[in-house]
Amino acid sequence: MVHVRLGSCTMRTIKAVLQCVTVCAVMTVAMCYDSQESHESMEVFINPYRANTFIPGRYNRQRVKSPAELKLEICEDYYPCRVFAARYGYQTAYQKYFAPQPRNNYRLY
Protein backbone atom coordinates (compact mmCIF):
# COMPACT_ATOMS: atom_id res chain seq x y z
CA MET A 1 0.00 0.00 0.00
CA VAL A 2 1.34 3.37 -0.96
CA HIS A 3 0.83 6.41 1.26
CA VAL A 4 0.88 9.76 -0.39
CA ARG A 5 2.03 12.54 1.82
CA LEU A 6 0.39 15.80 1.14
CA GLY A 7 2.03 19.03 2.09
CA SER A 8 0.68 21.03 5.01
CA CYS A 9 -0.55 23.73 2.65
CA THR A 10 -2.61 21.19 0.71
CA MET A 11 -4.12 19.76 3.91
CA ARG A 12 -5.20 23.23 4.98
CA THR A 13 -6.85 23.75 1.62
CA ILE A 14 -8.74 20.46 1.85
CA LYS A 15 -9.91 21.30 5.40
CA ALA A 16 -11.09 24.73 4.29
CA VAL A 17 -13.01 23.24 1.36
CA LEU A 18 -14.64 20.63 3.61
CA GLN A 19 -15.63 23.30 6.12
CA CYS A 20 -17.12 25.43 3.36
CA VAL A 21 -19.08 22.47 1.96
CA THR A 22 -20.35 21.61 5.45
CA VAL A 23 -21.49 25.18 6.12
CA CYS A 24 -23.24 25.31 2.72
CA ALA A 25 -25.02 22.01 3.39
CA VAL A 26 -26.21 23.18 6.82
CA MET A 27 -27.46 26.48 5.36
CA THR A 28 -29.30 24.64 2.56
CA VAL A 29 -31.06 22.34 5.02
CA ALA A 30 -31.98 25.29 7.25
CA MET A 31 -33.43 27.34 4.38
CA CYS A 32 -35.33 24.47 2.78
CA TYR A 33 -36.87 23.19 6.01
CA ASP A 34 -40.65 23.18 5.60
CA SER A 35 -42.19 23.85 8.99
CA GLN A 36 -45.81 24.17 10.07
CA GLU A 37 -45.28 27.86 10.82
CA SER A 38 -44.47 28.56 7.18
CA HIS A 39 -47.91 27.28 6.19
CA GLU A 40 -49.68 29.22 8.91
CA SER A 41 -48.25 32.51 7.70
CA MET A 42 -50.09 32.14 4.39
CA GLU A 43 -53.36 32.75 6.24
CA VAL A 44 -52.28 36.33 6.92
CA PHE A 45 -52.35 37.34 3.27
CA ILE A 46 -55.75 38.31 1.94
CA ASN A 47 -57.26 39.39 -1.32
CA PRO A 48 -56.13 42.97 -2.09
CA TYR A 49 -59.71 43.99 -2.88
CA ARG A 50 -60.80 43.01 0.63
CA ALA A 51 -57.83 44.56 2.42
CA ASN A 52 -59.59 47.79 3.39
CA THR A 53 -62.53 45.99 4.96
CA PHE A 54 -60.50 45.49 8.14
CA ILE A 55 -59.87 49.19 8.70
CA PRO A 56 -62.48 50.53 11.13
CA GLY A 57 -64.31 53.72 10.21
CA ARG A 58 -63.76 53.35 6.49
CA TYR A 59 -66.06 51.78 4.00
CA ASN A 60 -65.31 50.42 0.59
CA ARG A 61 -66.33 52.72 -2.20
CA GLN A 62 -65.80 51.54 -5.70
CA ARG A 63 -65.41 54.27 -8.24
CA VAL A 64 -68.42 54.59 -10.51
CA LYS A 65 -67.42 55.36 -14.08
CA SER A 66 -69.39 57.64 -16.31
CA PRO A 67 -71.12 56.17 -19.37
CA ALA A 68 -68.73 58.06 -21.64
CA GLU A 69 -65.73 56.53 -19.88
CA LEU A 70 -67.21 53.04 -20.15
CA LYS A 71 -67.78 53.53 -23.88
CA LEU A 72 -64.24 54.81 -24.29
CA GLU A 73 -62.82 51.69 -22.62
CA ILE A 74 -64.95 49.42 -24.81
CA CYS A 75 -63.75 51.21 -27.91
CA GLU A 76 -60.09 51.08 -26.80
CA ASP A 77 -60.25 47.30 -26.50
CA TYR A 78 -61.39 46.85 -30.11
CA TYR A 79 -58.58 47.70 -32.55
CA PRO A 80 -60.66 48.95 -35.52
CA CYS A 81 -62.64 51.20 -33.19
CA ARG A 82 -59.44 52.55 -31.65
CA VAL A 83 -57.98 53.39 -35.07
CA PHE A 84 -61.22 55.05 -36.18
CA ALA A 85 -61.34 57.00 -32.90
CA ALA A 86 -57.85 58.35 -33.45
CA ARG A 87 -59.16 60.16 -36.50
CA TYR A 88 -62.81 60.93 -35.72
CA GLY A 89 -63.08 60.74 -31.92
CA TYR A 90 -64.29 58.08 -29.52
CA GLN A 91 -67.92 59.06 -29.55
CA THR A 92 -68.18 58.73 -33.34
CA ALA A 93 -66.18 55.50 -33.32
CA TYR A 94 -68.36 53.98 -30.61
CA GLN A 95 -71.49 54.96 -32.56
CA LYS A 96 -70.12 53.29 -35.68
CA TYR A 97 -69.00 50.00 -34.12
CA PHE A 98 -71.17 49.42 -31.06
CA ALA A 99 -74.35 51.49 -31.22
CA PRO A 100 -77.50 49.57 -32.12
CA GLN A 101 -78.17 49.73 -35.83
CA PRO A 102 -81.55 51.06 -36.98
CA ARG A 103 -83.89 48.35 -38.15
CA ASN A 104 -86.03 48.50 -41.23
CA ASN A 105 -89.59 48.08 -40.03
CA TYR A 106 -90.94 47.88 -43.52
CA ARG A 107 -90.48 45.07 -45.97
CA LEU A 108 -90.07 45.28 -49.67
CA TYR A 109 -92.03 42.60 -51.49
Side-chain angles (χ1 to χ4, degrees), residues 12-80:
R12 283 187 206 149
T13 306
I14 292 174
K15 284 182 181 180
V17 169
L18 287 175
Q19 287 176 348
C20 182
V21 168
T22 305
V23 168
C24 288
V26 169
M27 287 176 57
T28 302
V29 169
M31 283 192 239
C32 295
Y33 178 69
D34 192 24
S35 66
Q36 183 64 26
E37 289 87 17
S38 65
H39 293 292
E40 290 172 356
S41 65
M42 292 304 289
E43 296 170 3
V44 174
F45 299 105
I46 60 171
N47 185 342
Y49 296 107
R50 292 187 53 219
N52 288 335
T53 59
F54 295 105
I55 300 173
R58 296 183 99 192
Y59 53 92
N60 247 352
R61 281 189 286 166
Q62 291 186 353
R63 184 172 168 253
V64 178
K65 295 180 181 180
S66 68
E69 190 174 1
L70 292 172
K71 290 177 181 179
L72 182 133
E73 288 180 357
I74 291 170
C75 192
E76 282 179 343
D77 290 339
Y78 186 57
Y79 181 75

Side-chain angles (χ1 to χ4, degrees), residues 1-8 10-11 14:
M1 186 174 217
V2 178
H3 290 295
V4 178
R5 291 190 107 191
L6 299 173
S8 64
T10 309
M11 285 300 279
I14 292 174

